[in-house]
Amino acid sequence: MSREQLAQEIIDAGRFLYGRGWSPATSSNYSTRLSADQALLTVSGKHKGQLGPDDVLATDLDGNSLEPGKKPSAETLLHTQLYRWKAEIGAVLHTHSVNATVLSRLTPGDHLVLEDYELQKAFSGVTTHQGQVLVPIFDNDQDIARLAAKVQPWLDDNPDCVGYLIRGHGLYTWGPRMSDALRQVEAFEFLFECELKVRSIANA
Amino acid sequence: MSREQLAQEIIDAGRFLYGRGWSPATSSNYSTRLSADQALLTVSGKHKGQLGPDDVLATDLDGNSLEPGKKPSAETLLHTQLYRWKAEIGAVLHTHSVNATVLSRLTPGDHLVLEDYELQKAFSGVTTHQGQVLVPIFDNDQDIARLAAKVQPWLDDNPDCVGYLIRGHGLYTWGPRMSDALRQVEAFEFLFECELKVRSIANA
Amino acid sequence: MSREQLAQEIIDAGRFLYGRGWSPATSSNYSTRLSADQALLTVSGKHKGQLGPDDVLATDLDGNSLEPGKKPSAETLLHTQLYRWKAEIGAVLHTHSVNATVLSRLTPGDHLVLEDYELQKAFSGVTTHQGQVLVPIFDNDQDIARLAAKVQPWLDDNPDCVGYLIRGHGLYTWGPRMSDALRQVEAFEFLFECELKVRSIANA
Amino acid sequence: MSREQLAQEIIDAGRFLYGRGWSPATSSNYSTRLSADQALLTVSGKHKGQLGPDDVLATDLDGNSLEPGKKPSAETLLHTQLYRWKAEIGAVLHTHSVNATVLSRLTPGDHLVLEDYELQKAFSGVTTHQGQVLVPIFDNDQDIARLAAKVQPWLDDNPDCVGYLIRGHGLYTWGPRMSDALRQVEAFEFLFECELKVRSIANA
């Protein structure tokens, strides 16, 4: 795919994710793989439902901007880290929903367990509701290099990881194509909503 | 109706059900009766808001594909079982909502009882809020033949059944026409939401 | 306004109310005053988001159909009762939302009190948040004449009444014009949602 | 920007805010700065999703209408007070959501504290989730001059204030441009929803 087409995928993803309420108030950032050693990412601080072709920029996989006039998202390193981790990853989405925010704050410890949900099968590599999907939760940190350094060992130890949460902040998930990453966002959001509803009743 | 028209009914149903959030992340499957001994079903794994005319396939009522190049939904047998059960059934919808998922997990035992809701009258054959609508809940199973074998005796014993739940998975409902099946999905979703709201407050 | 224009108001109201989820699964009915002694009402059992010009019929104010070929809504008498009650009423809306259903079931006794909400001012005749809006709740009844006979004394005793609930069933509200009735539906739905949220937290 | 363009910004904001459910039933009012000593405000009592170019009027910064034929919103003084407070404020939005209403009623005392949310960074001047955003809550009052007199000392003492709540009534927020004020409404609404969800579970 051309850069123009990849940029359009990001623009369309933003329109969808903003419309669902998962990228409010200029939050969130999205990317696609541009080549073996470059990514195409959203620039900082834009309305995610109104992205245009100029609102993306190319970076290397160390998170350095290749387009000096543009300011990359503060969280660029969390994207490029994933493209380095697995060659088959072609798209990364970071969203910022109410349910991801609340669930990550209310879940003590460093991970969430999803089990007995048929929709777990929407995640890459999952074929039954009977296993467990572990979603690590990292404490939020404005120092993204430090945060990335905490994420890396978890990725290295968990090659099947399908996404993670940053506490009070949001979700990272990914896939070979943008459509895969979007499917996983939908599945995570569905399951986060389920978990919160179960807790609001079961704890009562 | 022609196959083309029936396929369009499935496509339109998908657009509606996905838009309501009841068929996220490629979940769900839908069908219509094609003839006395054939059904038209969605193929496996498609985005339900973006179905096209090629995303359906014909099967016999044993769930065998009549179009070798296409992979039927894993749950085909749960559809064809219903067309065998009653000759007047012309459409079957399986949806996968947050509320159906959560309510089926939180309800112990093998059924849910709906009563004193005016909207029960949206179900085929119900004329008053004063009766009870029993919704059986079957435990989820990746072995669909085994699951179908558990559903069958319940259908045989309950000729007035208007729908059932699979735990942590979703709803099956049906009707003579697609519009009837859609009306019943709406009614079930409304009542599931009511039940969860009542429990979130009444249990508090 | 001509009958054609009044019918269009009902069609547009249905599209809006269905879209908000307040008239699901062919529930609800709507009317406008056609003349001093006639009303124009929705026929029975139609999809409220897809009404057409033929889906309304004229009745006298005793609830008798003036168009023999069409079946009026079962609840016609609850509409015509209101047009008889006050000459200035020009539109009546009966909606059927989750929140109206749940709140009316969870509220013991025969009325709900709304107070300290700025939005009370959206109701006809209310100028401050400091008063109380009393919303009577009548038990549901499939015998509409009997239900109407219970509503009438309440209307007679409460000339300022802006709407009422039927338990497990829904809301009736009205106004001089359709836009007034729609504004009151929005206000009631807002306040019902507030009341349920307050209860889900305050009772916890 | 011309008056025509500023009016269009208000019209578009209304369409968006009404669509999100944050300005129901003719509630809410919006404004932009017209000049150093004038504001352009919505007139009283209009449907906020259907504003037209005639539904705004110019006022001086004491809240006096400069267009005698039009009735300004009752809350005009709360807008003009803000334009007087800071020369850089170019737009003020008052919205009226369920969550703002409920949260302001359920929060005892005179303020709400938001902390540990990444989305706090959507507010002007906030660069980390680690600080606290204080949102004052003023008791509702139909006497707007008296209410404004309570708001003023708080503004004077808190030059970094990004918005405030009126109990049972809604939110006031602002920014240099309309897009900034809209971003802050989105951020507040997101955080109000988070706070209510946390409370509905954590208190259980």
Side-chain angles (χ1 to χ4, degrees):
Chain A
M1 291 179 82
S2 69
R3 175 184 163 130
E4 194 183 351
Q5 290 170 311
L6 292 169
Q8 192 59 46
E9 284 201 331
I10 290 175
I11 291 167
D12 291 344
R15 222 159 284 184
F16 170 74
L17 295 167
Y18 176 81
R20 293 295 291 265
W22 299 337
S23 292
T26 78
S27 70
S28 305
N29 36 73
Y30 323 128
S31 69
T32 62
R33 184 187 289 274
L34 197 52
S35 68
D37 53 8
Q38 292 184 16
L40 191 66
L41 277 105
T42 44
V43 301
S44 181
K46 295 285 175 173
H47 187 301
K48 293 307 180 294
Q50 301 172 356
L51 293 173
D54 286 338
D55 296 329
V56 293
L57 87 170
T59 71
D60 65 24
L61 295 195
D62 295 320
N64 299 310
S65 170
L66 301 174
E67 302 180 24
K70 291 180 177 174
K71 188 186 167 200
S73 163
E75 293 168 37
T76 298
L77 218 52
L78 298 177
H79 287 252
T80 57
Q81 173 180 48
L82 291 162
Y83 293 114
R84 277 186 170 280
W85 177 49
K86 282 194 180 176
E88 68 263 33
I89 292 178
V92 176
L93 295 172
H94 166 50
T95 49
H96 197 126
S97 72
V98 165
N99 287 332
T101 299
V102 171
L103 187 60
S104 63
R105 285 174 68 122
L106 289 181
T107 304
D110 61 3
H111 68 277
L112 173 74
V113 177
L114 302 169
E115 53 189 335
D116 269 331
Y117 290 108
E118 176 74 8
L119 209 70
Q120 294 168 217
K121 290 165 63 183
F123 295 123
S124 168
V126 178
T127 57
T128 172
H129 65 285
Q130 292 181 300
Q132 289 188 330
V133 172
L134 249 76
V135 188
I137 306 175
F138 300 100
D139 285 335
N140 198 13
D141 194 332
Q142 297 302 323
D143 182 333
I144 298 299
R146 191 165 57 193
L147 180 50
K150 284 179 187 149
V151 172
Q152 193 61 51
W154 207 92
L155 295 174
D156 293 337
D157 292 350
N158 295 273
D160 295 335
C161 178
V162 291
Y164 66 82
L165 285 164
I166 306 176
R167 204 177 313 271
H169 184 158
L171 169 73
Y172 270 82
T173 191
W174 47 80
R177 294 162 304 171
M178 182 59 84
S179 59
D180 299 304
L182 287 165
R183 188 190 67 242
Q184 296 205 163
V185 171
E186 278 195 11
F188 272 120
E189 287 299 335
F190 180 98
L191 294 167
F192 295 160
E193 189 179 347
C194 287
E195 283 291 300
L196 283 174
K197 285 214 173 186
V198 166
R199 293 179 193 201
S200 76
I201 291 172
N203 288 6
Chain B
M1 291 179 81
S2 70
R3 176 186 163 130
E4 195 183 351
Q5 291 170 310
L6 292 170
Q8 192 60 45
E9 283 201 331
I10 290 175
I11 290 167
D12 292 344
R15 222 159 283 184
F16 170 75
L17 295 167
Y18 176 81
R20 293 295 292 265
W22 299 337
S23 293
T26 79
S27 70
S28 305
N29 36 74
Y30 323 127
S31 68
T32 62
R33 184 187 289 273
L34 198 52
S35 67
D37 54 8
Q38 292 185 17
L40 191 67
L41 277 106
T42 45
V43 300
S44 180
K46 296 286 176 173
H47 188 301
K48 293 306 180 296
Q50 301 172 356
L51 294 174
D54 285 337
D55 296 330
V56 294
L57 87 170
T59 70
D60 65 24
L61 295 195
D62 295 320
N64 299 310
S65 169
L66 300 174
E67 301 181 25
K70 292 179 177 176
K71 189 186 166 202
S73 163
E75 293 169 37
T76 298
L77 217 52
L78 298 177
H79 287 252
T80 57
Q81 173 180 47
L82 290 162
Y83 294 114
R84 276 185 171 282
W85 177 50
K86 282 194 181 176
E88 67 262 34
I89 292 179
V92 175
L93 295 172
H94 166 49
T95 50
H96 197 126
S97 73
V98 164
N99 288 332
T101 299
V102 171
L103 187 60
S104 62
R105 285 175 67 123
L106 288 181
T107 303
D110 61 2
H111 67 279
L112 172 74
V113 177
L114 302 169
E115 52 188 336
D116 269 331
Y117 289 108
E118 176 72 10
L119 209 69
Q120 293 169 216
K121 289 165 64 183
F123 295 124
S124 168
V126 178
T127 58
T128 173
H129 65 285
Q130 292 181 298
Q132 288 189 330
V133 173
L134 250 76
V135 188
I137 306 175
F138 301 100
D139 286 335
N140 198 12
D141 195 331
Q142 297 302 322
D143 181 334
I144 298 299
R146 191 165 57 194
L147 181 49
K150 284 179 189 151
V151 172
Q152 193 61 50
W154 206 92
L155 295 174
D156 293 337
D157 292 350
N158 295 273
D160 295 335
C161 178
V162 291
Y164 65 81
L165 285 163
I166 306 176
R167 204 177 314 270
H169 183 158
L171 169 73
Y172 270 82
T173 190
W174 49 80
R177 295 162 303 170
M178 182 60 84
S179 60
D180 299 304
L182 286 165
R183 188 190 68 242
Q184 296 206 164
V185 171
E186 279 196 9
F188 273 120
E189 287 298 334
F190 179 98
L191 294 167
F192 294 159
E193 189 179 346
C194 286
E195 283 291 301
L196 283 174
K197 286 213 173 187
V198 166
R199 293 179 194 202
S200 76
I201 292 172
N203 289 6
Chain C
M1 290 180 83
S2 69
R3 176 185 163 131
E4 194 183 351
Q5 290 170 311
L6 292 170
Q8 192 58 47
E9 284 201 332
I10 289 175
I11 290 168
D12 292 343
R15 221 159 284 183
F16 170 75
L17 296 167
Y18 176 81
R20 293 296 291 265
W22 298 336
S23 293
T26 77
S27 70
S28 304
N29 35 73
Y30 322 128
S31 68
T32 61
R33 183 187 290 273
L34 198 51
S35 67
D37 53 7
Q38 293 185 15
L40 191 66
L41 277 106
T42 44
V43 300
S44 180
K46 295 286 175 173
H47 188 300
K48 292 307 179 294
Q50 300 172 356
L51 292 174
D54 286 337
D55 297 329
V56 293
L57 87 170
T59 70
D60 65 25
L61 295 195
D62 295 319
N64 299 310
S65 170
L66 301 174
E67 302 181 24
K70 293 180 175 174
K71 189 187 166 198
S73 163
E75 293 168 37
T76 298
L77 217 52
L78 298 176
H79 287 253
T80 56
Q81 173 180 48
L82 290 161
Y83 293 114
R84 276 186 170 281
W85 178 49
K86 281 193 180 176
E88 68 262 34
I89 292 179
V92 176
L93 295 172
H94 165 50
T95 50
H96 198 126
S97 73
V98 164
N99 288 332
T101 299
V102 170
L103 188 60
S104 63
R105 284 175 68 123
L106 289 181
T107 303
D110 61 3
H111 67 278
L112 172 74
V113 177
L114 302 169
E115 53 189 335
D116 270 330
Y117 290 107
E118 176 73 10
L119 208 69
Q120 293 168 218
K121 289 165 64 182
F123 295 123
S124 169
V126 178
T127 58
T128 172
H129 64 286
Q130 291 181 299
Q132 288 188 331
V133 173
L134 249 76
V135 188
I137 307 175
F138 301 99
D139 286 335
N140 198 13
D141 195 331
Q142 297 302 322
D143 181 333
I144 297 300
R146 191 166 56 194
L147 180 50
K150 284 178 188 149
V151 172
Q152 192 61 49
W154 206 92
L155 295 174
D156 293 337
D157 292 350
N158 295 273
D160 295 336
C161 178
V162 290
Y164 65 81
L165 285 163
I166 307 175
R167 204 177 313 272
H169 184 158
L171 169 72
Y172 270 81
T173 189
W174 47 80
R177 293 162 306 169
M178 181 60 84
S179 60
D180 299 304
L182 286 165
R183 188 190 67 243
Q184 296 206 165
V185 171
E186 279 196 10
F188 272 120
E189 287 298 334
F190 180 97
L191 294 167
F192 294 159
E193 189 179 346
C194 286
E195 283 291 299
L196 283 174
K197 286 214 173 187
V198 167
R199 293 179 193 202
S200 76
I201 291 172
N203 289 5
Chain D
M1 290 179 82
S2 68
R3 176 185 163 131
E4 194 183 351
Q5 290 170 312
L6 292 170
Q8 192 59 46
E9 284 201 331
I10 290 175
I11 291 167
D12 291 344
R15 221 159 284 184
F16 170 75
L17 295 167
Y18 176 81
R20 294 295 291 265
W22 299 336
S23 294
T26 78
S27 70
S28 304
N29 36 74
Y30 323 128
S31 69
T32 61
R33 184 187 288 275
L34 197 52
S35 68
D37 53 7
Q38 292 184 15
L40 191 66
L41 278 105
T42 44
V43 300
S44 180
K46 295 286 175 172
H47 187 301
K48 293 306 180 295
Q50 301 172 356
L51 293 173
D54 285 338
D55 296 329
V56 293
L57 87 170
T59 70
D60 65 25
L61 296 195
D62 295 320
N64 300 309
S65 170
L66 301 174
E67 302 182 24
K70 292 180 176 176
K71 189 187 166 199
S73 163
E75 294 169 36
T76 298
L77 217 53
L78 298 177
H79 287 253
T80 57
Q81 172 181 50
L82 290 162
Y83 293 114
R84 276 185 170 282
W85 177 50
K86 282 194 180 176
E88 68 262 33
I89 292 179
V92 176
L93 295 172
H94 165 49
T95 49
H96 198 127
S97 72
V98 165
N99 287 332
T101 300
V102 171
L103 187 60
S104 63
R105 285 175 66 123
L106 288 181
T107 303
D110 61 1
H111 68 277
L112 172 75
V113 177
L114 301 169
E115 54 188 334
D116 269 330
Y117 290 108
E118 177 72 10
L119 209 69
Q120 293 168 217
K121 290 165 64 183
F123 295 123
S124 169
V126 178
T127 58
T128 172
H129 64 285
Q130 292 180 301
Q132 288 188 330
V133 173
L134 250 76
V135 188
I137 306 176
F138 301 100
D139 285 335
N140 198 13
D141 195 332
Q142 298 302 322
D143 181 334
I144 297 300
R146 190 166 58 193
L147 180 50
K150 284 179 189 151
V151 172
Q152 193 61 49
W154 207 92
L155 295 173
D156 293 337
D157 292 349
N158 295 273
D160 295 335
C161 177
V162 291
Y164 65 81
L165 285 163
I166 306 176
R167 205 176 313 270
H169 183 158
L171 169 73
Y172 270 81
T173 190
W174 48 80
R177 293 162 304 170
M178 182 59 84
S179 59
D180 299 304
L182 286 165
R183 188 190 67 244
Q184 296 205 164
V185 171
E186 278 196 10
F188 272 121
E189 287 299 334
F190 179 98
L191 294 166
F192 295 160
E193 189 179 346
C194 287
E195 283 291 300
L196 284 175
K197 285 213 174 188
V198 167
R199 293 178 193 203
S200 75
I201 292 171
N203 288 7

